[in-house]
Amino acid sequence: MTPIGRLLTMPEEAQNLPAGEINTDYCIGQDNVTPRLGPLRLDIHNPVFPISALSVIILVLFCLIFDETAAAVFGTLRPWLTTQFDWVFTIGMNIFVLFCLFLVVSPLGKVKIGGKSAVPEYSYLAWFSMLFAAGMGIGLVFYGVLEPLNHTLTPPFGATGVLDGDGNLVDAATAETAIRLGMAGTIFHWGLHPWAAYSVVALALGIFSYNKGLPLTIRSAFYPLLGERIWGWPGHLIDSLAALATLAGLATSLGYGASQAAAGLNYLFGIEASTELQVMIIIGVTMLAIISVIRGLDGGVKLLSEFNMGLALLLFLFVLSVGATTDIFGVFFEGLTSYAVNLPALSNWVGREDTDYFHGWTTFYWAWWIAWSPFVGMFIARVSVGRSVREFIICVLLVPTLVCVMWMAVFGGTAISQLVNDNYTGVQQTIANWTPELSLFAMLELLPFTTLTSLVGIVLVLVFFVTSSDSGSLVVDTICAGGKVDAPMPQRVFWCSFEGLIAIALLLGGGLASLQALAIATGFPFTIVTVAMCYCIYKGLRTEPV
């Protein structure tokens, strides 16, 4: 076995390998077996597949059989993790941002994912469409109206909101400050930090798979630290944790999507937004996701992503044109300015005293984004070959951040204007009653073509639901099949089905609180894993030709 230190410093001629590739005694795929189960042929990566599959099955059975106990356990787990380990999430996310900025200005930014001769497979339009559909689609539709107004009512740092204790509007100067801080907090949760976490995982997978010749799986990124041990139990545990984190993050988002779609159906057609309806929605969308899985990346995820981006753009332009356009632009630019000014304080570099806000929103978001990072990171890595590290980070950090800010400014800014200028309390009541799934439809109620735009909102949620489940199953399957991107179809169908089952089980065993708790529980250990990835990326990039 070649020692990793020697390998990373030997001349290319001595290694007798293409530039940058890692020489390993391990034969990729040697511990993949292909047993036959009836007519099916499976490619199972032992023991990652059985560990992940059994863990998921046990979790689903526990939530279904002991639903009250599950609700109590998950209800306690979230506040404990967010209060006791908030510093882990905060430090980790800040490291990701700083590391990405370092790579942008470093000579290492010239390295190409896939090697010097690699060319991009997808156009910018297709690339960005898949980034958003897989990355934050459901979350933006769910929180786009809710969060800006919520943070305007209860801004970060304990500032005074736009309504006083009696529910009356405060003076103009105080309201303006509340809106600025509220948008700064919103942008903070959806801006550089989450996309930096995605970028770190995606870059690690892209470099060590497409440049170094290792399998497209999380363990490969740790070769500089573990060497050949990545093929043993340390690697198995890393991949199993990544698979479970991905499933937890997806289940949380699918639960949000189901609750919002059910609320929309209730709003439009009077159908009771019951748990049973949400379960039916999950089942129906999971079946559509399975069809998309069978069609593959280009025939499924890519087409659906581009369709949904077009639909989202139409709704975005509609709200921008018929809403309070001047106020929206003001919210956008003032929010960005406030975000830049308050970024150090929001990042907790100087300490946060608004612990309820910080633990209730920021810490949860950080755990959720990190739980999503194996899924989104691997998906981004697969569609980003041919991009330089500098181009990759700038595009993945800045472009999605600006689009997220624009979306929040248009939808949230419209809701803020409706409250402050029109005295419309529809959205504010969804926050007071904590029915966040209704916020989008309450905002659209004051605009023209309410029924049509609400129907478009439901379709957006459902299609984002499908693309998340589809691309997520591809990622989990790749991890559990040892990095193979063409594992047998039955395995992808298996993971797609179990994503839906996890969402159903957790909804029945405690609702959205259980979904959030599971995302935080898996995001916590993966934070430490992702921080270690930064060192591995640096070591890997140093051996790449530019």
Side-chain angles (χ1 to χ4, degrees):
M1 181 178 71
T2 306
I4 183 63
R6 178 172 172 233
L7 175 66
L8 292 178
T9 56
M10 285 174 59
E12 293 172 14
E13 297 81 2
Q15 294 181 44
N16 195 28
L17 289 168
E21 284 198 11
I22 290 178
N23 183 21
T24 171
D25 291 342
Y26 179 79
C27 178
I28 294 174
Q30 71 182 23
D31 61 351
N32 283 267
V33 295
T34 53
R36 183 178 293 279
L37 297 178
L40 303 180
R41 216 174 160 75
L42 303 179
D43 186 355
I44 301 173
H45 185 236
N46 288 323
V48 175
F49 186 99
I51 290 175
S52 304
L54 286 175
S55 299
V56 168
I57 292 171
I58 291 171
L59 174 66
V60 169
L61 291 176
F62 172 69
C63 292
L64 292 178
I65 297 173
F66 306 102
D67 55 337
E68 294 183 0
T69 303
V73 169
F74 286 119
T76 305
L77 184 61
R78 173 183 170 170
W80 181 72
L81 285 172
T82 54
T83 55
Q84 298 301 313
F85 297 100
D86 55 349
W87 58 276
V88 174
F89 297 114
T90 302
I91 292 175
M93 293 295 272
N94 288 337
I95 287 175
F96 304 151
V97 173
L98 294 175
F99 179 68
C100 287
L101 295 179
F102 161 74
L103 290 180
V104 168
V105 300
S106 165
L108 298 175
K110 298 178 181 178
V111 175
K112 264 193 175 184
I113 300 173
K116 294 181 68 173
S117 61
V119 294
E121 183 178 355
Y122 299 100
S123 66
Y124 276 113
L125 178 60
W127 189 35
F128 290 140
S129 296
M130 288 188 281
L131 288 182
F132 284 108
M136 292 184 173
I138 291 177
L140 284 174
V141 178
F142 190 91
Y143 282 110
V145 174
L146 167 76
E147 191 170 349
L149 183 58
N150 180 84
H151 297 345
T152 299
L153 295 168
T154 54
F157 312 128
T160 302
V162 295
L163 298 180
D164 60 23
D166 297 324
N168 300 315
L169 288 171
V170 297
D171 61 272
T174 303
E176 183 178 352
T177 300
I179 294 171
R180 285 174 177 265
L181 287 177
M183 282 303 300
T186 301
I187 297 169
F188 179 59
H189 294 150
W190 294 83
L192 295 178
H193 283 72
W195 289 100
Y198 293 166
S199 297
V200 167
V201 177
L203 192 57
L205 290 167
I207 293 299
F208 284 95
S209 297
Y210 297 110
N211 294 61
K212 304 299 185 184
L214 298 179
L216 185 65
T217 187
I218 305 298
R219 71 173 72 200
S220 296
F222 290 88
Y223 198 93
L225 283 176
L226 300 175
E228 296 288 321
R229 285 175 295 173
I230 64 171
W231 313 119
W233 276 103
H236 298 329
L237 292 176
I238 289 171
D239 277 351
S240 298
L241 178 61
L244 293 175
T246 300
L247 290 168
L250 282 169
T252 303
S253 296
L254 300 185
Y256 282 137
S259 65
Q260 190 171 34
L265 292 174
N266 174 262
Y267 175 81
L268 289 177
F269 306 112
I271 303 173
E272 182 183 357
S274 61
T275 302
E276 290 77 12
L277 177 60
Q278 295 179 48
V279 170
M280 292 174 63
I281 291 172
I282 292 175
I283 292 173
V285 173
T286 300
M287 293 176 66
L288 293 175
I290 290 173
I291 296 173
S292 181
V293 162
I294 293 173
R295 289 181 57 86
L297 184 63
D298 290 333
V301 176
K302 180 174 178 287
L303 291 178
L304 285 173
S305 300
E306 292 177 341
F307 166 78
N308 227 34
M309 284 300 295
L311 196 61
L313 179 61
L314 288 176
L315 184 60
F316 173 89
L317 293 174
F318 171 78
V319 176
L320 175 63
S321 61
V322 303
T325 307
T326 303
D327 292 341
I328 288 171
F329 280 109
V331 166
F332 175 78
F333 289 109
E334 292 174 4
L336 270 179
T337 302
S338 182
Y339 168 62
V341 170
N342 291 287
L343 183 58
L346 288 167
S347 301
N348 204 28
W349 291 355
V350 294
R352 292 280 293 269
E353 296 182 359
D354 53 335
T355 53
D356 288 342
Y357 179 97
F358 184 60
H359 294 150
W361 287 94
T362 304
T363 310
F364 162 66
Y365 266 131
W366 287 177
W368 189 18
W369 298 144
I370 292 170
W372 264 66
S373 63
F375 152 50
V376 181
M378 182 175 290
F379 188 77
I380 293 175
R382 288 185 61 179
V383 299
S384 300
V385 174
R387 310 286 179 186
S388 72
V389 170
R390 183 172 292 116
E391 176 190 18
F392 171 85
I393 292 177
I394 290 174
C395 289
V396 175
L397 247 64
L398 297 185
V399 176
T401 294
L402 288 174
V403 173
C404 287
V405 175
M406 288 190 289
W407 183 278
M408 294 292 186
V410 169
F411 287 81
T414 298
I416 293 170
S417 177
Q418 289 174 343
L419 175 64
V420 175
N421 298 324
D422 303 326
N423 294 316
Y424 173 67
T425 60
V427 180
Q428 187 259 333
Q429 286 301 312
T430 68
I431 296 172
N433 301 329
W434 199 244
T435 51
E437 63 275 6
L438 291 173
S439 297
L440 172 65
F441 306 109
M443 183 273 290
L444 294 174
E445 187 173 330
L446 215 60
L447 303 181
F449 309 111
T450 300
T451 301
L452 177 60
T453 54
S454 297
L455 186 60
V456 169
I458 296 174
V459 173
L460 275 176
V461 170
L462 293 178
V463 178
F464 276 134
F465 198 157
V466 172
T467 55
S468 295
S469 181
D470 181 349
S471 50
S473 66
L474 292 174
V475 167
V476 174
D477 184 42
T478 298
I479 295 173
C480 294
K484 293 190 175 182
V485 296
D486 57 350
M489 186 63 62
Q491 289 178 211
R492 281 181 274 172
V493 173
F494 170 84
W495 289 117
C496 191
S497 302
F498 266 85
E499 287 165 20
L501 285 175
I502 293 173
I504 291 172
L506 290 172
L507 278 176
L508 296 176
L512 288 177
S514 294
L515 291 162
Q516 294 172 348
L518 181 63
I520 293 172
T522 54
F524 170 65
F526 206 77
T527 303
I528 301 170
V529 170
T530 311
V531 169
M533 277 186 182
C534 295
Y535 170 79
C536 296
I537 293 171
Y538 175 73
K539 294 288 289 185
L541 287 176
R542 287 187 61 189
T543 62
E544 283 294 306
V546 295

